[in-house]
Amino acid sequence: QKEVEQNSGPLSVPEGAIASLNCTYSDRGSQSFFWYRQYSGKSPELIMSIYSNGDKEDGRFTAQLNKASQYVSLLIRDSQPSDSATYLCAATGTASKLTFGTGTRLQVTL
Amino acid sequence: NAGVTQTPKFQVLKTGQSMTLQCAQDMNHNSMYWYRQDPGMGLRLIYYSASEGTTDKGEVPNGYNVSRLNKREFSLRLESAAPSQTSVYFCASSMNQPQHFGDGTRLSIL
């Protein structure tokens, strides 16, 4: 069973701080990795994709990938209360499928 | 563009009743997916369709059937609903990856 592991949280950070969310995956064949944000009662929304080792930045978000360590992370700079949500990590698996982690709940406090 | 549209948004059924959840996408994606999401369990794949004319079982297919009606539409049927099928159901579509999600159907079975 290929797995994606995330700490369920909640991860609590003060407004303006950097939030660091982490994810590990078991399938060494995974090539593509995604971060989704899910607000309570809403559907998952894609916020970052990363395909190669290193960092990828998009606004306040930075995704980091280390395939040797099978590790993916998401950094959120200048965290805002509106960033409070559950963040799902996903990795490509076999036959057009994604494997999702169970998500990390982020709380940004005032 | 509407993206991925799911109907209905809410439904209450009695044990033993049947119903079909509808999903349509207007992004010309080849692949479509059905997930269920339960508290603490993350997203679990029920069935997927890698391309028009094909369907395959996911992680939790028991109690469900699917139909890929055409490239746009992928329906999920509960033949005899059970309380254990109370969940939020998400449809997603993709052209390779990543996947884009509909707004979900909240299904309660009494």
PDB file of all heavy atoms in Angstrom, chain A residues 7 23-24 82:
ATOM      1  N   ASN A   7       1.339  14.938   9.380  1.00  0.00           N
ATOM      2  CA  ASN A   7       0.925  15.158  10.755  1.00  0.00           C
ATOM      3  C   ASN A   7      -0.445  15.837  10.724  1.00  0.00           C
ATOM      4  O   ASN A   7      -0.629  16.821  10.019  1.00  0.00           O
ATOM      5  CB  ASN A   7       1.948  16.062  11.462  1.00  0.00           C
ATOM      6  CG  ASN A   7       1.685  16.163  12.937  1.00  0.00           C
ATOM      7  OD1 ASN A   7       0.542  16.307  13.372  1.00  0.00           O
ATOM      8  ND2 ASN A   7       2.735  16.080  13.724  1.00  0.00           N
ATOM      9  N   CYS A  23       5.330  16.476   4.645  1.00  0.00           N
ATOM     10  CA  CYS A  23       4.683  15.310   4.049  1.00  0.00           C
ATOM     11  C   CYS A  23       5.784  14.330   3.631  1.00  0.00           C
ATOM     12  O   CYS A  23       6.800  14.758   3.071  1.00  0.00           O
ATOM     13  CB  CYS A  23       3.872  15.795   2.839  1.00  0.00           C
ATOM     14  SG  CYS A  23       3.252  14.553   1.720  1.00  0.00           S
ATOM     15  N   THR A  24       5.595  13.047   3.905  1.00  0.00           N
ATOM     16  CA  THR A  24       6.506  12.029   3.393  1.00  0.00           C
ATOM     17  C   THR A  24       5.701  11.033   2.566  1.00  0.00           C
ATOM     18  O   THR A  24       4.498  10.852   2.789  1.00  0.00           O
ATOM     19  CB  THR A  24       7.229  11.279   4.521  1.00  0.00           C
ATOM     20  OG1 THR A  24       6.257  10.661   5.378  1.00  0.00           O
ATOM     21  CG2 THR A  24       8.097  12.214   5.344  1.00  0.00           C
ATOM     22  N   SER A  82      -6.808  33.924   7.037  1.00  0.00           N
ATOM     23  CA  SER A  82      -7.480  33.273   5.904  1.00  0.00           C
ATOM     24  C   SER A  82      -6.749  32.018   5.423  1.00  0.00           C
ATOM     25  O   SER A  82      -7.285  31.249   4.612  1.00  0.00           O
ATOM     26  CB  SER A  82      -7.623  34.254   4.732  1.00  0.00           C
ATOM     27  OG  SER A  82      -6.353  34.705   4.325  1.00  0.00           O
TER      28      SER A  82
END
